[in-house]
Amino acid sequence: MEINHRGAQRLVQQLRAKGIKDDRVLKSFAEVSRELFVPSGLSHRAYSDSALPITGGQTISAPSTVAAMLQVLHLGPRDRVLEVGTGSGFQTALLTKIVADVYTIERNLKLVGEVKDRLIKAGCGTAHLRAGDGLKGWAEHSPYDAIIVSAGTDKLPVQLLDQLKTGGRMVIPLKGKITLVVKSRNGLRTRQLTDCQFVPLIPGYTP
Ligand code: SAM
């Protein structure tokens, strides 16, 4: 699909105005059509800074929320990233533009089917996608430089922390706040960022 350059640029301007400064993050928003990741009846709202409903009662997160979570991870081009909660696949697509390796897990089988096609259409087919319980992570490809959790929880997922490199970063909606967790040799450091509203992280997976 052709990129809607005007729409994407409008979104980039909104993100700059909201304090997003990381050039790699901003560039990724200029390179991916959000339109492709929202339901067709809502394409007129694709470049507005709002969360929108998608398949299965889930949501595509607001662009400024996605951008803030990506920015705080300080991602580099060689990084290997695990995403938990693929949703529409928009954030997955952005990640493919920023880092070397993207692994993403979604528990809703219908979404997984939709996302596969969409990522290919968006030219972001390099992401590794699988259906399953993201709370268990994807151990075969660990350790990760960064983990991004896209659904809300009240407890830090221990299995995910185990799959993070020493020096690795995890961003997660924890107890209603976007939270950065940094894993060091001496343990975990956490920093709360902004208030947020996310659909819940649901343990378990039944195909
Ligand atoms: N960032 C995504 C986007 O750009 O579209 C939005 C993700 S949506 C807010 C959260 C997703 O997490 C939903 O699709 C939901 O099915 C998924 N989810 C919830 N619990 C999960 C789990 N344990 N494992 C994997 N995915 C999960």
Side-chain angles (χ1 to χ4, degrees), residues 37 54-55 58-61 66 83-92 105-108 111 132-135 150-151 198-204:
F37 295 84
I54 57 169
T55 298
Q58 300 303 318
T59 48
I60 174 171
S61 309
V66 172
E83 177 188 45
V84 173
T86 318
S88 70
F90 178 60
Q91 181 177 268
T92 319
I105 309 174
E106 169 57 55
R107 74 187 299 282
N108 182 315
L111 277 172
D133 180 5
L135 277 168
S150 298
F198 270 84
V199 294
L201 192 56
I202 303 168

